[in-house]
Amino acid sequence: MSDGKYFSTTKRGEIHELKEELRSLDRPKKKDAVKKVIAAMTVGKDVSMLFPDVVNCMQTDDLELKKLVYLYLINYAKTQPDLAIMAVNTFVKDSQDPNPLIRALAVRTMGCIRVDKITEYLCDPLQRCLKDDDPYVRKTAAVCVAKLYDINPELVEDRGFLDMLREMLSDANPMVVANALAALQEIQELAGPGGKDLLQMSTQTLNKLLAALNECTEWGQVFILDSLAAYDTRDPKDAEKIAERVLPRLQHVNSAVVLSAVKVILRCMDVVALGPSGGEDTIKAWSKKMAPPLVTLLAAEPEVQYVALRNINLIVQRRPAVLANEVKVFFCKYNDPLYVKMEKLEIMIRLASDKNIDQVLLELKEYAQEVDVDFVRKAVRAIGRCAVALEKATERCINVLLELIQTKVSYVVQEAIIVIKDIFRRYPNQYESIIATLCDNLDSLDEPEAKSSMVWIIGEYAERIDNADELLEAFLETFPEETSMVQLQLLTATVKLFLKKPTESAQKMISAVLSCATTETDNPDLRDRAYIYWRLLSTDPEAAKDVVLAEKPVIADDSSSLDPSLLEALVSRYLATVAAVYHRPPETFVSRQRLAVTRADELGARKFEEEDGSVPGAMVSDNNAAAAAGAAAAAAASSVGDLLDMSDPTPMPAAPVAAAAVAPAAPRGLDDLLGGLGSLDMGGGAPPAASTSASADPFAALSGPAPATSLSGGGAAPVAGAGMSPAALSQLPTLLANPGGVSVQGRLVRQAGQIVYQLALRNDTMAPVDGLMIQTNRNSFGLGPASQVLAIPTPGGAVPPGSVAAVRVPLLIDVSKVTPPPLSTGLQVALRTTQVGVLYFNDAVPLSALTEETGSMEAADFLAAWKALPPEASARLPLAVPSADVAKQRLAAANLFVLAHRQVPATGQDAIYATCRITAGGVGQVLLELKFVAGAGGVDVSVKAERQDVAQLVFDGLPSVLLGAA
C-alpha cells in the first residue's frame, strides 16, 4: 500500500495511540508509528510531545527507521532545541557508526541544534567527520562548520575548522570541494563586510575549482561559478583561461548554471578589455557563444522566462552587443503573460538600432492595436523612446504615431501626444508640422499627463498656431478643477502665449490665470510660480522673456536606465540572484537577522513540555495597573513615505487594528507551566483605570483634548497662560536644537488610553512664528496626528519671539501608514511653519506609550498562549533591579501586567511573568518572562508573541521601564 495512507486520518486520541505504538516491541508496528508521526509533522501538526518516544526508536539496526527518526529530529532541532539536546549523547555515538549515512545524519542534526552548549559535544565528532574516509560524510560536515560558526564564531576559528575547510578545497571529490566552498562563502557573509578574506583565492585554488567544475552537481557548479565571478584578477591571460573553462557551462540544462556562467564571462570580458590590445576579437567571440544559451532560456515556462528576461535586461544594458542580432527573439507571442510582454518590450527598445528599427516599429504598431490597455500604452511609449534614442529613425517613428492617432482610440491618442512632446524636446524646430494633427484631437484628452503635454506644445509653439489663444482658453475654463500638473503647465503656457503674442485676449487670460493661481488655490507650488511670473511681468517683461522663453536643454532617453554603479554591481555580483530580478541591491530587501542561540542553562529551568511534577517555590499573584509614561530612545527609522502630506488639516479617522487572538486554554497536563501559574488567585476584578502622576507630567496644568500653553525657560518671556517652570521643561528630551531658530523638545506618552505627543516649541527668532502644522512619516505603528494643525492659544496661533509654547498632540492609528515588517521604534516627524519652513526631527516610540490599559489576561489563557505561540526570543539586559517588588511596581506602571512571581530553586533568582497588549501595528498580545537576582547586574528576558520581530521592541523598551525612567 502507498505511504499516502499515513496522511488520510485525523482522529481524537491519536497522540495517545501513537505513543503506545512507539513503545511497542513489534518492529514493523513501531516503524509504522514513526511514519504516522512524520506524516503528521509534514502537514503542520505539533507532535513535539512524542519526542522522548521517537528518540527511543533510534536504538535500532534498522536503517530506514533510524533515517525516519533523524528526519523528525532535524525538524524539531531548529525550533525546539531544548528537546533535541536531550538526545545529544545518541548523536555523538552515531557519529562513529560504521554506516556513513548514519554518521552524516548525526553530525547534520547536531548542527541544527542552536544551543550554545551543543558546541562542546559537536566539535570532536565534527573534526572526525571532516577527515572521514567517505566523501558524503565530509561534504555534510563541511556545511555543518558554517552552522557552528553562526552559533560560536570564536570556537570555529580556535579549533582550526576554517583551515580544514580551505584544505578541503583540494579534496579529490568534487562535491566535497563544492560544499567546502559553499560553507566558506556562507561564513564570509556571516562575518560581514569587515571580515577578513576567508577563501584566500590563489592560482592553485583557482585551478582546483576549475578542475572540480565539470564533475560536481549543478548546484555545486553554481557555488564554484559564483566564487570565480568574485575572483579579482587583473591579468587578461588568467581571465581568458577562466572563460575558456567556463564556456562549456553555457550548454547546461539548468538555467541557474547558465546565468552564473554568463556572470563569470562578463567579468572576464571586463578584464580582457583592459589588456594592451583591448581584446575586441576575444570579446566578440565570447558574445557570439553567449547569445544562443540566453535565447534558449526564453523557451521555458513563463515564470522562468520572466526571471531570464530580468537578467537579460541587465546584460543588454551592460553589453548590448551580446544580443544585438537577436531582437526578433523578444517579439511578443499572443499567449505570453502581460509581465513577460512588458519585459520583452523593454529589451526590444534597448536592442533597437538603425538596422532593425523597421522590424521593431512594425511589431510595436501591432502591439499598439491590441486589447490590453497597459500593454498598448507601453507599446506607444516604446515608439517614442525609439524616436528619442535613434535620430535617423525619428521620422519613421512619427509617421507610425500619426497613423495610431488616426485610429481615434482615446488612450492611444493620449499616449501618442505624450511621447510626441518628448520628441519635440529632443529635436526642437524639426517636426512642428504635425501640430495641426494634434490640435484636431483635443476632445479626446481626459488624462492629466496627456493634457499637460498638449498644453506644453501649445505654449511652446504659440507663435506658429494661429488659434493658440482659443485652444488655451478652452483648457482654462476648467482650470480650478484640473490637477496640479495641468494647472502648472497651463500657467506657464499662458505666460508664454502672452510673451510671444501680447494680444488683448492673451492679456485677459494671463490676468485671470494669475489671479486664480494666487488667490483661489491651496497649492503652494502653483501659487509661488504665479507670484514669480507676476513680478517678472510687472517689473521687467524682457527679463521675463529671457527666463520663460530660454533655450531648453535637449533630453535623452534614460527613463529606464539604472545608475552605472548599481548596474555594475548587479551584473558582476548579483546576476542569477533575486537582486537581479528586483534590479535592487540585496540590502534593500533582505533582512540580515540571525536566529537566536539558546543558552543551555535556561533549558533546565523550563518545564513547558513535561506532563507531571510541580516546581517548588511560593507563587505570588499580581494584577495591578498604573499609568504609562514615555521615554525616548535614540533610534530613527528610514521608512519611505509622504512625510510632508499636510494638505488636509482634518483629523485622520481612527483605524481599528486587529489584535492577535489568544490561544485557547491549555489542557490540565500543562498546569505545571511556569511553576504552578494556573493555580494562582488572580484577584477576580478588572484592573483599575490608569492614572498619570502630576509630578512627572510637565503638561499636567493643561486641560482639554489638544490644548496648548506657553511656558518660560532659559530667560524666555512667557506667553499668557503659562503654567510650567524651567525645571519642568528641562525634563523633556531635546529633539531638535536650533539656536537662533525654532527648537523642539518632547516625548511620547500614554494618557487616558491614548498616545499623546507632548511638545515644547522654543522660538529664538526675532519674529513671531505661526502656521504651525505637524505630520509623521509612515512608521511601524501607523501613528499620525489626530489634527495636523497645532493650536497655539495666542492671537493668530503664533509663538512670540523669545518664548516657549507647550502643546499636546493626540496621535491616532492609521493602518495605511503602517510600514512592512520588521518593527522599528523610529518615528520621523516634520513640523511646518510659515516663517522658517519645514523642520525635521527623529524620535523613538517608547514601549510604555504603546502598551494598553486593557492588556491583562487570565492565568489559564497565559499558559495556553505560551504553549501555542512560536518559540521565544531571549536576551540579557545589562541592568540591576533592586527587588522583585520594585520591578513589579514599575512594570505595572507601564501597563505590563504582572501575572505571577516565583523564586527559581537553587539559583537565587526571581522569575516574573507578565503580559501586555499592543494594538498599534497589529502587534497583539505579548508574553514576558523576566529572571534576575535582586541587586545584581543582568536581567534575562524571554518574549513570546505572534510576530517574531516584537522581541527587539521589548528588549529596547524594558530598560527604561525597569529603571523607572518611563
Side-chain angles (χ1 to χ4, degrees):
M1 184 182 289
S2 167
D3 284 347
K5 64 180 181 179
Y6 299 112
F7 295 87
S8 60
T9 60
T10 301
K11 55 187 178 180
R12 298 189 62 175
E14 187 177 17
I15 296 297
H16 180 74
E17 289 182 16
L18 286 173
K19 189 172 290 191
E20 293 299 321
E21 291 176 13
L22 288 169
R23 294 173 180 173
S24 171
L25 297 177
D26 183 1
R27 180 175 292 183
K29 190 174 182 180
K30 181 183 291 188
K31 186 189 294 186
D32 218 38
V34 174
K35 287 183 178 181
K36 290 178 184 176
V37 172
I38 299 295
M41 181 182 75
T42 304
V43 298
K45 293 182 183 177
D46 181 13
V47 287
S48 57
M49 66 288 296
L50 297 173
F51 189 90
D53 302 291
V54 175
V55 170
N56 286 336
C57 297
M58 290 182 70
Q59 311 302 325
T60 178
D61 297 329
D62 188 327
L63 181 59
E64 183 185 4
L65 179 56
K66 194 175 276 281
K67 286 166 66 177
L68 287 169
V69 173
Y70 266 110
L71 185 62
Y72 174 91
L73 289 174
I74 287 175
N75 182 69
Y76 282 107
K78 295 176 182 177
T79 58
Q80 302 197 30
D82 48 342
L83 298 180
I85 201 170
M86 292 161 53
V88 70
N89 289 328
T90 307
F91 302 149
V92 174
K93 178 183 175 184
D94 280 352
S95 69
Q96 301 180 64
D97 193 275
N99 189 317
L101 186 61
I102 299 299
R103 297 201 297 274
L105 283 171
V107 76
R108 176 189 295 167
T109 307
M110 291 178 76
C112 291
I113 305 174
R114 298 187 61 80
V115 180
D116 55 353
K117 294 294 183 183
I118 192 68
T119 56
E120 299 175 6
Y121 301 94
L122 177 57
C123 286
D124 290 336
L126 182 57
Q127 209 149 16
R128 285 195 302 270
C129 290
L130 285 169
K131 297 180 179 179
D132 199 279
D133 294 335
D134 192 278
Y136 180 77
V137 179
R138 295 200 301 276
K139 82 178 187 67
T140 305
V143 176
C144 191
V145 173
K147 295 177 180 177
L148 179 60
Y149 185 90
D150 195 23
I151 299 173
N152 194 334
E154 295 80 10
L155 182 68
V156 171
E157 295 179 12
D158 294 344
R159 294 293 293 260
F161 287 131
L162 295 179
D163 293 330
M164 295 176 74
L165 279 181
R166 281 191 284 267
E167 290 172 8
M168 292 172 76
L169 295 177
S170 306
D171 197 280
N173 187 287
M175 270 313 302
V176 175
V177 175
N179 276 31
L181 184 61
L184 285 170
Q185 290 175 348
E186 177 72 16
I187 293 170
Q188 185 75 66
E189 190 173 336
L190 290 171
K196 63 180 181 180
D197 181 15
L198 300 176
L199 190 54
Q200 299 175 2
M201 183 83 80
S202 62
T203 305
Q204 184 181 5
T205 307
L206 177 67
N207 291 330
K208 290 171 182 173
L209 293 180
L210 289 171
L213 184 61
N214 295 330
E215 301 177 33
C216 59
T217 64
E218 51 197 20
W219 297 113
Q221 292 180 36
V222 170
F223 285 122
I224 293 176
L225 289 169
D226 285 346
S227 67
L228 294 176
Y231 178 50
D232 187 17
T233 179
R234 297 295 172 191
D235 186 351
K237 292 183 179 179
D238 276 354
E240 287 187 33
K241 182 177 75 171
I242 293 171
E244 290 302 325
R245 299 290 290 272
V246 169
L247 279 169
R249 300 298 99 206
L250 294 173
Q251 312 303 321
H252 203 282
V253 69
N254 188 305
S255 54
V257 176
V258 173
L259 286 172
S260 295
V262 168
K263 175 167 60 176
V264 177
I265 295 168
L266 288 172
R267 178 79 180 88
C268 293
M269 282 183 175
D270 293 338
V271 177
V272 169
L274 299 175
S277 62
E280 291 183 11
D281 294 338
T282 305
I283 291 174
K284 190 178 292 186
W286 290 350
S287 297
K288 285 183 179 179
K289 292 181 179 179
M290 284 168 61
L294 289 173
V295 169
T296 304
L297 294 177
L298 302 183
E301 53 270 18
E303 293 79 9
V304 177
Q305 277 190 59
Y306 178 75
V307 173
L309 287 166
R310 294 291 283 176
N311 283 271
I312 289 171
N313 194 329
L314 295 173
I315 295 167
V316 169
Q317 289 185 58
R318 187 72 177 80
R319 293 275 179 185
V322 172
L323 291 164
N325 300 321
E326 304 290 344
V327 69
K328 282 188 176 182
V329 174
F330 301 100
F331 287 177
C332 300
K333 299 175 183 176
Y334 75 94
N335 59 347
D336 280 339
L338 181 60
Y339 58 88
V340 171
K341 287 182 177 179
M342 292 294 199
E343 280 306 311
K344 285 186 173 180
L345 206 53
E346 191 66 39
I347 296 171
M348 281 171 59
I349 299 168
R350 297 192 184 283
L351 294 178
S353 64
D354 294 331
K355 295 179 181 179
N356 59 29
I357 188 62
D358 290 327
Q359 288 178 310
V360 172
L361 283 177
L362 192 62
E363 194 73 12
L364 293 176
K365 184 180 175 183
E366 290 294 324
Y367 300 160
Q369 298 174 50
E370 291 208 8
V371 294
D372 191 297
V373 176
D374 290 336
F375 186 50
V376 170
R377 291 177 184 274
K378 181 89 170 177
V380 177
R381 297 241 176 171
I383 296 171
R385 287 176 59 187
C386 289
V388 171
L390 303 171
E391 185 172 359
K392 293 180 181 179
T394 305
E395 190 166 348
R396 282 172 280 179
C397 294
I398 289 177
N399 290 334
V400 173
L401 289 171
L402 291 176
E403 290 177 31
L404 293 174
I405 289 174
Q406 297 307 319
T407 63
K408 301 296 183 181
V409 178
S410 173
Y411 53 86
V412 175
V413 173
Q414 297 190 84
E415 288 296 325
I417 289 174
I418 293 168
V419 298
I420 286 173
K421 181 203 76 171
D422 291 337
I423 294 172
F424 284 171
R425 293 182 63 191
R426 176 68 177 85
Y427 308 106
N429 304 315
Q430 290 188 39
Y431 301 103
E432 286 73 20
S433 58
I434 67 171
I435 292 176
T437 306
L438 303 182
C439 293
D440 292 339
N441 291 275
L442 295 184
D443 294 339
S444 61
L445 303 183
D446 56 16
E447 295 177 7
E449 191 175 3
K451 280 186 178 181
S452 63
S453 298
M454 191 66 222
V455 170
W456 182 89
I457 293 171
I458 295 171
E460 189 69 15
Y461 300 100
E463 73 279 9
R464 305 187 189 188
I465 304 173
D466 295 335
N467 61 338
D469 51 350
E470 296 176 10
L471 297 177
L472 277 182
E473 197 167 6
F475 282 108
L476 289 173
E477 289 175 0
T478 57
F479 182 85
E481 291 80 34
E482 297 291 356
T483 62
S484 59
M485 177 193 299
V486 179
Q487 287 178 332
L488 287 166
Q489 204 59 259
L490 276 170
L491 175 61
T492 303
T494 308
V495 173
K496 288 179 180 178
L497 174 66
F498 176 74
L499 292 173
K500 293 179 177 182
K501 299 169 68 175
T503 61
E504 185 178 347
S505 62
Q507 190 168 355
K508 288 180 181 178
M509 287 166 59
I510 192 67
S511 298
V513 170
L514 290 175
S515 175
C516 182
T518 54
T519 61
E520 300 178 19
T521 180
D522 294 329
N523 187 334
D525 293 333
L526 180 63
R527 189 170 59 242
D528 291 350
R529 186 181 294 190
Y531 275 126
I532 291 172
Y533 286 152
W534 202 328
R535 288 168 185 166
L536 274 172
L537 293 170
S538 60
T539 55
D540 190 349
E542 291 302 318
K545 282 186 178 182
D546 293 339
V547 172
V548 180
L549 304 180
E551 187 175 341
K552 297 166 184 61
V554 175
I555 66 167
D557 177 34
D558 58 354
S559 56
S560 298
S561 297
L562 295 172
D563 179 80
S565 59
L566 174 59
L567 177 62
E568 177 64 31
L570 290 174
V571 172
S572 60
R573 297 173 56 194
Y574 302 124
L575 208 66
T577 66
V578 178
V581 178
Y582 286 163
H583 289 188
R584 291 165 53 193
E587 56 269 17
T588 63
F589 60 87
V590 175
S591 172
R592 297 291 182 186
Q593 291 180 342
R594 293 167 62 180
L595 292 172
V597 178
T598 307
R599 292 191 299 277
D601 55 0
E602 295 176 344
L603 301 180
R606 294 183 181 165
K607 304 290 184 180
F608 298 160
E609 304 301 332
E610 294 183 10
E611 295 184 3
D612 53 355
S614 59
V615 177
M619 301 290 292
V620 182
S621 171
D622 292 277
N623 193 10
N624 302 322
S638 57
S639 58
V640 180
D642 188 6
L643 186 59
L644 294 177
D645 182 18
M646 298 181 175
S647 56
D648 182 11
T650 56
M652 295 184 299
V657 180
V662 178
R668 191 64 199 166
L670 295 173
D671 279 355
D672 67 319
L673 171 61
L674 307 179
L677 180 61
S679 62
L680 295 180
D681 175 16
M682 302 307 294
S691 60
T692 304
S693 171
S695 61
D697 180 13
F699 290 74
L702 309 176
S703 61
T709 297
S710 296
L711 49 101
S712 62
V719 180
M724 187 177 299
S725 66
L729 173 63
S730 66
Q731 295 177 11
L732 293 177
T734 299
L735 303 176
L736 177 66
N738 192 7
V742 176
S743 300
V744 183
Q745 294 173 264
R747 64 156 60 96
L748 284 158
V749 299
R750 190 171 191 88
Q751 293 178 345
Q754 187 175 32
I755 301 173
V756 175
Y757 216 153
Q758 295 180 337
L759 293 174
L761 312 175
R762 182 185 297 277
N763 179 12
D764 292 328
T765 67
M766 303 302 292
V769 173
D770 60 9
L772 291 157
M773 297 177 70
I774 189 170
Q775 180 60 291
T776 59
N777 205 345
R778 295 175 64 222
N779 54 82
S780 289
F781 308 102
L783 298 179
S787 173
Q788 295 175 350
V789 178
L790 297 184
I792 308 296
T794 59
V799 183
S803 295
V804 182
V807 61
R808 275 193 179 95
V809 183
L811 300 183
L812 298 180
I813 299 169
D814 183 356
V815 291
S816 66
K817 296 186 71 169
V818 176
T819 55
L823 278 178
S824 169
T825 58
L827 185 68
Q828 293 177 325
V829 186
L831 185 70
R832 192 168 76 178
T833 68
T834 303
Q835 286 73 22
V836 296
V838 182
L839 307 172
Y840 301 92
F841 57 91
N842 292 322
D843 202 354
V845 184
L847 177 65
S848 55
L850 297 169
T851 51
E852 298 174 6
E853 293 79 357
T854 57
S856 186
M857 62 193 305
E858 295 297 327
D861 293 337
F862 185 96
L863 298 175
W866 189 281
K867 172 68 178 175
L869 287 169
E872 69 269 29
S874 303
R876 186 174 181 82
L877 305 182
L879 53 92
V881 179
S883 68
D885 290 336
V886 171
K888 289 188 288 184
Q889 268 185 332
R890 291 173 178 173
L891 289 169
N895 290 335
L896 291 159
F897 297 90
V898 178
L899 299 180
H901 164 219
R902 68 180 174 89
Q903 299 289 328
V904 181
T907 64
Q909 287 185 314
D910 288 276
I912 290 177
Y913 301 93
T915 185
C916 66
R917 182 183 299 124
I918 301 173
T919 299
V923 172
Q925 200 75 28
V926 183
L927 313 182
L928 295 87
E929 175 194 58
L930 289 77
K931 289 183 178 178
F932 57 89
V933 176
V939 178
D940 295 322
V941 182
S942 297
V943 179
K944 275 200 171 194
E946 288 287 349
R947 291 178 54 171
Q948 297 296 303
D949 54 356
V950 175
Q952 195 58 49
L953 170 67
V954 177
F955 297 151
D956 292 342
L958 264 183
S960 61
V961 172
L962 293 174
L963 294 174

